[in-house]
Amino acid sequence: RAAARRAAGPAKGGKSGIRRLFTWKKILGTIFGLCLLGIGAFIVLYLVVDIPKGNAVAQQESNVYKYSDGSVLARKGTVNRESVSLDRVPKDVQHCFVAAENKTFYHDSGVDLRGTARGLLNTLSGKGAQGGSTITQQYVKNYYLNQDQTVTRKLKELVISLKVDQKLSKDDILAGYINTSYYGRGAYGIQAAAQAYYRVDASKLTVEQGAYLAALLQAPSQYDWAVASPTGKQLAQARWNYVLDNMVKQHWLDPGKRQAMKFPKPKDPKGAPGLEGQKGYLIDLANKQLEQKLMKDEGISQSQAEAEVVDRGWTITLNVDKKKQAALESAVKDQLTSKLDAKKRKVDADVQAGAVSVDPKTGKVLALYGGQDYFKHYYNNATRRDYQPASTFKPVILAAALDEGARTQDGLPIDANTVYDGTSGRQVVDHGAKVGFGPPNEDDQNYGDITVQTAMNKSVNSVFAQMGVDVGMEKVMSVADKLGMDTKGMQAVPAQTLGSMGASPLEMAGIYATLDNHGKKVTPTIVADAENKTRTVKMDDPIGDQVISREAADTVTSVLTGVVDDGTARTSVRDNPLRNGQQVAGKTGTSDENKSAWFTGYTPDLVTSVGLFGEDAKTHNHVSLAGATGLLPGTGRINGGGYPAQIWAAYTFGVMDATSKFQLDTTQGAAVKPSVTPSVTRSPSQTPSQTPSSSPPSVSESPSQTPPSQSPSQTPSRSPSQTPSQTPTSQRPTAPITDNPLNPNDQQQLNSRQPAN
């Protein structure tokens, strides 16, 4: 037993030593000591930190925007702010801001200790700005401090807020808050915001209008009704409802009156001095990209980022090339806007143009066209996403097929030489079962058995509808996302094969730039660098990782040269007198009912996407472009191979001196000779139950139709440009698409439309 006790002694002794070192008394004593130390440190901090002089006015300095060569594009910074006393703001409107931001404002000590502690922990852990703050704290941050997400700034904010709450009345604090906050549209303070959004004095604001202005503070540009996306509009209305519902809970608003209230749509914005012409569009995109960078790097909210960027003394150098910018503006004017006369034709007032030009090797946005004038059309046509890209989406389907190694339902690999059934209206099948989708081709033309190359040249809807199902629409949309399309919320349904989603010229330029860059991701970036007195911001590298294989990207490029040389862009691009040997790839697109028309094309060194959009000048509804300029025969249908391709060619061939060739890693497509002659006996992807039409086109159709027996990789040089209006059909895609952000009540939405070519 003695030996056993001796053997057990050291182990027990060890445990006893640990217990002696970490007793509950010592642990509690340590915690208590740390608390006393923290309290002492806070008392010292409270004594040391005084309320500084307000610096909100001093922080408002002109932003300087420069072209890539260093010359000044614009200087913007005349602060749009007029402080008003609180007695000039209706009491109900005052309550809107309290209900939105800080329901306990009238009773609290000016700080939210739990929210501040959470914010400090988030800052220390690198999670960004996720803590809560009171109106007093936000006022202190706006007027006395800045938006920096540092522990020091947050501690100062806490101390100064406590002192301000003791020194100033609640009314003084609320007045300071609503007069220093940023509301978007360049408006600081409630008086400027009331004028910017409703053209009224702050004293004339209704409760409904006040609730919208209060809602704006969470995300000014995202909630600005004039430019908000459908999601942004939903969020803005949800926030507006939140404000009014809180007012009811606080007994500041009668429930009956609340139920009768309707959302007060704000007025269209007016351009600010210095933003005329294209300047406003360039600055708008530059600000947004800088704000996104600050949100990512500093973990701040969108509203904080906007307040940090707008009129804060930044010098922002853009990637925009001054000569290319002037050339793009000139091309749009010469090829389109000079031909429009709204006095003669109402439809001419409804034509909106947007374009973006990108260097595929660097990702730099070299030129941008956002509309005829920022003063006349505030919404940026280069970045709007509410119109269908139509058949400019077809290359994405082919890219997905090639990158995924997809096969037809007959088990044959899908490539440029694969033969499909080009019968108009042919029902798409998925392993023998019809999927209820059979899109017609333009003018309901039947092509019989044709290769993918010819189908791309002629933009044959029935072929790509079937190809999308063969590849798998989930894979198609995944590749679209990889290439640069914002696919959030998009359904992976067959109707998307016709480009029935929404997309912007900026997006399409990025997608095609990634193809041009051999499958390495290109994110078009307009900001080269930005700096102010406190920091320098370095933008992320626009060139990213390999998102699809080089062979897949290069094969798509090779195929798209056929669209230019033998397809729908032949007249405007291939035969353009300005062309000087440049090798060109591209794709046309024309949506159903002619509400949009596109040409996105590229040389080895330059990618440009041009879109025309039919937008009612008064209601902002989506309308047809047909008949615009009065120079087109028949119905006056504006095709992607018409004005968009003409603008593209006038600009591109005017600024590109080099005659460089694509360096393609592929043996397929119109740009290269295939290593083997493809067999024309390949079976199309169809089931025995289908009866494809093999009859030739009627005599009224273009005689340049490619017969099924022709070499699949070759298309006759006499192929036509895009043809007249599509024959209406009862078969429609069922996928919903982005609503019109300028008019969410537009009943002529595109979710029941089909792109024509």
Side-chain angles (χ1 to χ4, degrees), residues 599-648:
F599 182 73
T600 303
Y602 53 101
T603 67
D605 303 309
L606 191 65
V607 180
T608 304
S609 180
V610 180
L612 300 189
F613 314 115
E615 177 199 311
D616 189 283
K618 295 181 179 179
T619 66
H620 303 306
N621 289 343
H622 292 186
V623 296
S624 175
L625 293 163
T629 74
L631 300 175
L632 302 177
T635 62
R637 180 182 178 84
I638 292 181
N639 295 306
Y643 292 124
Q646 291 170 24
I647 292 169
W648 184 96

Side-chain angles (χ1 to χ4, degrees), residues 389-449:
S391 290
T392 59
F393 187 73
K394 284 185 171 78
V396 176
I397 304 170
L398 180 58
L402 296 166
D403 193 57
E404 295 287 339
R407 292 177 174 270
T408 69
Q409 291 177 40
D410 297 324
L412 298 172
I414 300 174
D415 57 32
N417 305 316
T418 304
V419 176
Y420 270 92
D421 181 1
T423 302
S424 182
R426 173 189 179 278
Q427 284 293 309
V428 174
V429 294
D430 187 4
H431 297 91
K434 294 181 180 180
V435 301
F437 182 58
N441 300 324
E442 186 179 13
D443 290 336
D444 209 26
Q445 287 191 7
N446 293 317
Y447 292 90
D449 292 351

Side-chain angles (χ1 to χ4, degrees), residues 458-588:
K458 296 181 178 298
S459 205
V460 181
N461 291 335
S462 57
V463 169
F464 287 93
Q466 182 62 58
M467 187 188 298
V469 172
D470 289 349
V471 177
M473 286 308 300
E474 292 80 7
K475 292 179 180 178
V476 170
M477 300 311 293
S478 174
V479 169
D481 179 71
K482 292 176 184 178
L483 290 173
M485 178 173 280
D486 182 1
T487 60
K488 185 177 180 181
M490 291 184 185
Q491 293 180 308
V493 294
Q496 302 286 35
T497 59
L498 304 184
S500 60
M501 70 291 289
S504 69
L506 181 68
E507 271 182 294
M508 298 313 295
I511 290 171
Y512 280 59
T514 300
L515 296 173
D516 198 359
N517 198 34
H518 311 295
K520 290 193 72 173
K521 177 70 174 295
V522 177
T523 302
T525 303
I526 198 171
V527 177
D529 57 67
E531 61 180 5
N532 63 11
K533 293 179 180 178
T534 62
R535 60 196 184 279
T536 298
V537 175
K538 183 179 179 181
M539 302 300 287
D540 294 335
D541 188 349
I543 305 300
D545 297 330
Q546 194 83 29
V547 291
I548 64 172
S549 70
R550 172 165 185 159
E551 183 177 5
D554 286 358
T555 300
V556 174
T557 295
S558 181
V559 168
L560 292 182
T561 63
V563 176
V564 172
D565 292 334
D566 294 304
T568 53
R570 191 194 89 173
T571 301
S572 297
V573 181
R574 192 200 75 173
D575 297 340
N576 194 291
L578 294 175
R579 189 177 183 184
N580 186 27
Q582 296 95 335
Q583 199 170 14
V584 177
K587 187 70 186 75
T588 58

Side-chain angles (χ1 to χ4, degrees), residues 3-71:
R5 284 196 299 271
R6 285 194 298 272
K12 291 181 179 180
K15 290 181 181 179
S16 177
I18 293 174
R19 290 195 184 102
R20 284 198 300 271
L21 184 63
F22 295 102
T23 64
W24 281 110
K25 289 182 179 180
K26 289 186 176 182
I27 292 173
L28 291 174
T30 301
I31 294 173
F32 184 68
L34 291 173
C35 290
L36 288 176
L37 185 63
I39 292 171
F42 182 77
I43 291 173
V44 172
L45 187 67
Y46 189 86
L47 295 173
V48 170
V49 175
D50 291 325
I51 300 176
K53 292 183 179 180
N55 61 2
V57 175
Q59 286 183 356
Q60 309 308 318
E61 301 178 36
S62 296
N63 281 358
V64 178
Y65 300 85
K66 297 181 177 181
Y67 288 107
S68 60
D69 64 0
S71 60

Side-chain angles (χ1 to χ4, degrees), residues 51 144 161-169 172-173:
I51 300 176
Y144 297 105
S161 296
L162 288 170
K163 290 189 173 183
V164 165
D165 188 72
Q166 293 175 348
K167 182 178 179 180
L168 301 178
S169 69
D172 288 338
I173 294 171

